[in-house]
Amino acid sequence: QVQLVESGGGLVQAGGSLRLSCAASGRTFIMYTMGWFRQAPGKEREFVAAITWSGGSTFYADSMKGRFTISRMNAKNTVWLQMNSLKPEDTAVYYCAAQLGDIYSDHHHYDYWGQGTQVTVSS
């Protein structure tokens, strides 16, 4: 019903920046809450950021607050994650996800997921 494709991952040095993109197709994008999650080897999937369907509210995990920014442009069916001041601990596969609800930080409530994009931060 909804297909999500992430892009923009890569290898950066600590302190650098990346912007991840998530392109959506299928069901009406504007009505979905969009989130970013990440998962490092051996760790649970971790909430990163979320944005409401209107873009009026954003939510961030404490460790990302002030460094990461989520945004969306519904006309382009796209959501971004701007990542600044990257740290080695940010290394993970980053996933975008969509849901019709508003339980922002729990990955179980997201209905659609992208394939993930690898972000590696070197020291």
Side-chain angles (χ1 to χ4, degrees):
Q1 293 181 322
V2 174
Q3 187 173 19
L4 306 173
V5 179
E6 303 98 332
S7 62
L11 175 64
V12 298
Q13 291 184 314
S17 298
L18 283 174
R19 177 150 61 191
L20 307 183
S21 297
C22 177
S25 62
R27 300 292 186 186
T28 304
F29 177 75
I30 190 172
M31 294 298 179
Y32 284 87
T33 296
M34 298 297 298
W36 286 95
F37 292 79
R38 68 187 186 186
Q39 189 164 18
K43 295 185 177 180
E44 293 291 324
R45 190 169 299 179
E46 179 184 19
F47 172 71
V48 175
I51 187 167
T52 56
W53 68 268
S54 67
S57 297
T58 58
F59 306 88
Y60 301 93
D62 289 342
S63 62
M64 293 83 176
K65 186 72 173 181
R67 300 189 298 123
F68 292 6
T69 303
I70 188 171
S71 60
R72 70 190 296 165
M73 182 176 292
N74 291 337
K76 295 289 187 180
N77 290 348
T78 303
V79 61
W80 296 273
L81 182 69
Q82 178 68 45
M83 305 187 294
N84 299 325
S85 301
L86 284 163
K87 306 173 182 179
E89 65 194 49
D90 295 318
T91 296
V93 177
Y94 284 71
Y95 300 90
C96 71
Q99 65 165 306
L100 286 171
D102 59 359
I103 310 301
Y104 305 119
S105 63
D106 187 347
H107 70 269
H108 294 291
H109 290 272
Y110 286 81
D111 302 301
Y112 305 102
W113 293 85
Q115 83 289 345
T117 186
Q118 177 71 47
V119 172
T120 303
V121 184
S122 66
S123 59

